[in-house]
Amino acid sequence: MKRFIHAVVASAAILPAIASTADACPFCHGKNGVNEVNAGIFNDKFLPTLLAVLAPFPLFLGVVAAIHFGFPVRKNLEIVEAQNERGTNEQPR
Amino acid sequence: MNNRVNRRPLIAAATLLGVGMGGFIDGIVFHQILQWHNMLSGSGYYPKTVDDPLTVIRNMQINMFWDGLFHAVTWTSTAIGLALLWRAMQRPDPSHSTQTFVGSMALGWGLFNVVEGFIDHHILHIHHVTEAPNHLVWDIGFIFFGMVLIGLGLSFISKAGRVETPPMAAR
């Protein structure tokens, strides 16, 4: 199962690198034969643009991680509440 | 006997699912059906509101690439959310609260609108909700709708937490 997942992820990662973006648009070539669509994507602005497009997602993952693992202050409160409830040193989940 | 349920894994999973689904709603409704904007349709990038038809088509194809990357990341977020949901249900203390699940998805969708709205529409200006002169109204409305969803989601999650009882197997 893990091998299958790795194969799918690897294929998905390779696909954009080998696929041409403008084969279905023959008149997107400029007068000097340059593929203007590819030139508009894969230029010196590619990396900053990629970062701009992806910018919100680390924030989403950070919020979800904070929900999943709990904030340190909240965890301490849970420990205190659990000890008060049971009168023991048992650790909460 | 375990008389407590842990809602954190369910809330985290459903929130990420909400982020992904909110991203798909944006992509499908605004980018494709209504075609109000694309990922880089802002005036300083690759707008569609230019006179030359060939430039419009070129810009649309460039935007289609970046829309595709956006959808790829949205799909990945949804897939991770599904994996987290599966793991949450396999825990010994799972929450099965529909109200918590729906509230968390609303929270995620609202989070998408607010974060993506601020970053892409107001800070980076890579696109707006609509590429028209009155785009500010729509941009503010987009974020306001996100805040409403966040409020609703938190309300659902809070109310569900007061009444949830452990599943039968855990009692």
Side-chain angles (χ1 to χ4, degrees):
Chain A
M1 185 64 181
K2 275 189 181 176
R3 277 192 184 174
F4 175 73
I5 292 173
H6 289 158
V8 169
V9 171
S11 303
I14 291 169
L15 192 62
I18 61 175
S20 171
T21 56
D23 282 345
C25 180
F27 60 88
C28 289
H29 292 263
K31 289 181 184 175
N32 56 359
V34 172
N35 186 321
E36 294 182 13
V37 176
N38 275 353
I41 297 170
F42 302 107
N43 52 28
D44 55 353
K45 293 182 187 172
F46 177 79
L47 196 54
T49 305
L50 181 65
L51 291 174
V53 168
L54 300 180
F57 289 93
L59 280 170
F60 299 144
L61 292 176
V63 170
V64 170
I67 293 171
H68 194 278
F69 297 110
F71 294 97
V73 172
R74 179 70 187 157
K75 270 188 180 168
N76 291 337
L77 285 175
E78 288 176 355
I79 291 171
V80 170
E81 286 169 2
Q83 287 175 342
N84 289 340
E85 261 181 42
R86 301 179 188 276
T88 65
N89 289 329
E90 178 180 338
Q91 291 294 319
R93 56 184 175 273
Chain B
M1 181 188 306
N2 179 16
N3 59 354
R4 297 176 74 179
V5 292
N6 184 3
R7 298 194 303 152
R8 281 187 186 281
L10 174 64
I11 295 172
T15 300
L16 194 53
L17 278 174
V19 167
M21 300 292 274
F24 279 129
I25 289 172
D26 185 346
I28 293 169
V29 174
F30 289 114
H31 293 217
Q32 294 185 287
I33 294 177
L34 294 176
Q35 298 185 32
W36 281 4
H37 68 258
N38 295 99
M39 214 53 217
L40 298 179
S41 57
S43 58
Y45 291 86
Y46 300 101
K48 296 184 289 188
T49 52
V50 292
D51 292 332
D52 179 33
L54 285 183
T55 303
V56 170
I57 291 175
R58 185 201 71 159
N59 288 355
M60 286 172 66
Q61 284 214 284
I62 292 172
N63 269 297
M64 200 177 301
F65 172 85
W66 291 106
D67 283 359
L69 280 191
F70 168 76
H71 279 136
V73 181
T74 304
W75 183 94
T76 304
S77 299
T78 306
I80 296 173
L82 279 173
L84 288 177
L85 184 64
W86 179 249
R87 289 189 58 168
M89 291 302 110
Q90 290 182 320
R91 291 177 59 92
D93 53 356
S95 167
H96 291 136
S97 165
T98 301
Q99 198 168 6
T100 299
F101 180 68
V102 171
S104 301
M105 288 198 66
L107 174 66
W109 183 8
L111 197 65
F112 173 85
N113 271 30
V114 170
V115 173
E116 194 266 347
F118 267 119
I119 291 179
D120 291 349
H121 305 171
H122 292 277
I123 297 175
L124 297 177
H125 297 283
I126 58 176
H127 65 261
H128 299 281
V129 174
T130 174
E131 303 295 352
N134 64 341
H135 63 76
L136 185 61
V137 175
W138 289 96
D139 290 346
I140 292 174
F142 188 82
I143 289 177
F144 178 74
F145 180 65
M147 289 180 172
V148 169
L149 284 172
I150 289 174
L152 276 174
L154 291 175
S155 171
F156 273 37
I157 293 169
S158 173
K159 285 180 185 171
R162 292 187 216 128
V163 299
E164 183 167 12
T165 54
M168 288 301 295
R171 291 187 197 148

